[in-house]
Amino acid sequence: MDRKIKNWGNYPEIISNVKSFDTSGMVEELFKEEKHWIARGMGRCYGDASLGENVLSTLKYNKVTFFDTQSGIIECQAGFTLDEVLQLAVPKGWFLPVTPGTKFVSLGGAVASDIHGKNHHKEGSFSRHTLSIKVLCGDGKIYNCSKTENADLFEATCGGMGLTGVILSVRFQLRKISTSYITQKQIKAANLDELLILFEKYKEYTYSVAWVDCLARGKHFGRSILMLGEHAEMNDLKGAKAKAPLKVHSEAGLNIPFNFPSFVLNKYSIKLFNFAYYHKNFKKVQESTTHYDGFFYPLDNIKNWNRMYGKPGFLQYQFVLPLNQVEGMKLIMNKIAEKKQGSFLSVLKVFGPQNDLISFPEEGYTLALDFPMTGSLLKFLDELDQIVQDCGGRIYLTKDARMNKEFFHKSYPRLEEFIDIVNKYNPNTEFRSVQSERLSITR
């Protein structure tokens, strides 16, 4: 059925023929009817990576096919979400090995994006914990792949944005936990230099992430709140928390029922938000024990928060720069402050070493920013791209909707190897997306 479709950023919007399936046999039948498919789960990839002429929704293909509660190994069909994994696994003392800033991501999407989280500097991205994947490829065959079986397909599927085929199921290792709570330390940093010192000082923490005020200038340039966390043990809990140590998250409490007018988020409202957020912590250091839902997924508690950006939508711009390119990071943040293109969601993390085929992370600093869609935004982001390129960095495909192909081809050094593998398993370009065509990945 043809219908308008868009991802979380509400930009771009296209008309697609959308089909769903609940057996792998149905997928094979759909392939006989149409060509040029791209799989799509929850639509949380922001840009155009899961948009295309024909979209294959995985959401009805969502069963758990294996779960060993002793070892923590679980296998689920691609449409099963991280939210559903948590509801199943947390009461049994298991947690996701890696999680992004939302739990409303399908497992197929998690693999296709090779998601990373606040623990990347210690534990890598999702593919490190993935044991095997089943993929229905463009040659019509279903492959089981892992780090040792069809390893080229495994590597190209993790972070490959669905271009090798439809991910049917994912087997992965969960993390053992004693409680569903996090012991949290929040530290205010007066500026970016202090924040980077704090990241280094507390690098042994499993989880670390910083909110950054990208509009602050002068001596406050880059002022931040660094958030550190560890999974809490039983002796960390008191009162009601101790009585329900493996409590699962609740439903979201708030909802934004309609698109806000575009003028609501502007340089003044964002500056006011940033000031209030930075000063909400009265002390330099605050420690607490909080539920995992508040620590990992604060925005999930507001349904449809993307409507705050209004009908034109927004772009999330996430890049990574090598550790020795701190001056490049400052240059980008200065440009944002000068242009007053502020983002109230500015998140800085540290990536550990990783040199996979097409996955986004590499050792360095990664900054993610949300920008309301305006007439001048695309030109401004082109300027930021040039700095990222000059510093040897790259852009996250999962968040991208506008990068040019020249920059993309220069910034992913193993791209040609990736394209060769895509052509091997997807020889007639049965799988392609708006993004893969824009970036000349598919022929």
Side-chain angles (χ1 to χ4, degrees), residues 101-339:
T102 176
K103 55 187 176 290
F104 299 120
V105 175
S106 69
L107 278 168
V111 171
S113 294
D114 196 11
I115 56 170
H116 57 268
K118 299 173 176 64
N119 57 342
H120 186 278
H121 61 292
K122 298 267 291 186
E123 296 167 335
S125 58
F126 196 77
S127 59
R128 186 182 294 185
H129 311 272
T130 302
L131 303 176
S132 64
I133 313 166
K134 282 190 176 65
V135 190
L136 175 54
C137 292
D139 60 7
K141 299 176 183 175
I142 296 177
Y143 293 87
N144 193 64
C145 61
S146 67
K147 294 181 176 70
T148 56
E149 180 184 11
N150 297 314
D152 59 343
L153 178 60
F154 180 84
E155 197 174 14
T157 301
C158 295
M161 311 312 296
L163 298 179
T164 55
V166 182
I167 296 168
L168 295 176
S169 65
V170 185
R171 177 177 286 237
F172 63 103
Q173 176 68 59
L174 294 165
R175 165 197 291 277
K176 187 68 178 168
I177 54 172
S178 301
T179 80
S180 56
Y181 292 87
I182 300 291
T183 54
Q184 176 181 236
K185 183 194 291 278
Q186 293 192 352
I187 308 172
K188 292 174 77 170
N191 50 50
L192 184 63
D193 289 330
E194 183 184 2
L195 175 64
L196 299 183
I197 291 170
L198 290 172
F199 264 121
E200 176 64 21
K201 180 178 179 180
Y202 292 102
K203 63 183 179 183
E204 294 308 317
Y205 267 79
T206 302
Y207 301 107
S208 64
V209 63
W211 167 86
V212 182
D213 182 355
C214 279
L215 287 182
R217 307 192 68 180
K219 66 180 182 180
H220 300 305
F221 174 75
R223 64 183 175 185
S224 323
I225 298 176
L226 175 64
M227 289 161 272
L228 307 163
E230 297 287 354
H231 288 279
E233 300 297 330
M234 277 301 300
N235 57 13
D236 295 315
L237 305 186
K238 297 177 181 175
K241 293 173 182 172
K243 292 178 181 175
L246 290 170
K247 180 184 176 184
V248 179
H249 60 275
S250 305
E251 290 287 318
L254 299 173
N255 181 36
I256 296 180
F258 52 82
N259 289 320
F260 281 6
S262 299
F263 61 81
V264 171
L265 284 183
N266 56 56
K267 61 186 178 184
Y268 302 107
S269 60
I270 292 172
K271 198 167 185 176
L272 183 63
F273 171 86
N274 286 356
F275 179 86
Y277 192 85
Y278 181 75
H279 290 284
K280 70 181 178 62
N281 287 6
F282 294 111
K283 297 178 181 177
K284 174 79 174 177
V285 180
Q286 289 190 185
E287 296 184 273
S288 61
T289 301
T290 187
H291 193 261
Y292 71 78
D293 204 37
F295 183 79
F296 290 105
Y297 316 112
L299 279 175
D300 283 352
N301 285 313
I302 307 173
K303 283 183 182 176
N304 301 307
W305 65 262
N306 55 339
R307 291 175 176 168
M308 288 191 293
Y309 289 94
K311 192 174 181 180
F314 67 103
L315 291 175
Q316 184 165 98
Y317 187 78
Q318 183 170 2
F319 61 91
V320 58
L321 299 183
L323 289 175
N324 62 0
Q325 294 294 336
V326 172
E327 291 306 313
M329 181 70 70
K330 290 180 178 178
L331 188 56
I332 289 173
M333 290 174 58
N334 263 318
K335 274 197 167 291
I336 293 168
E338 286 170 6
K339 294 273 187 178

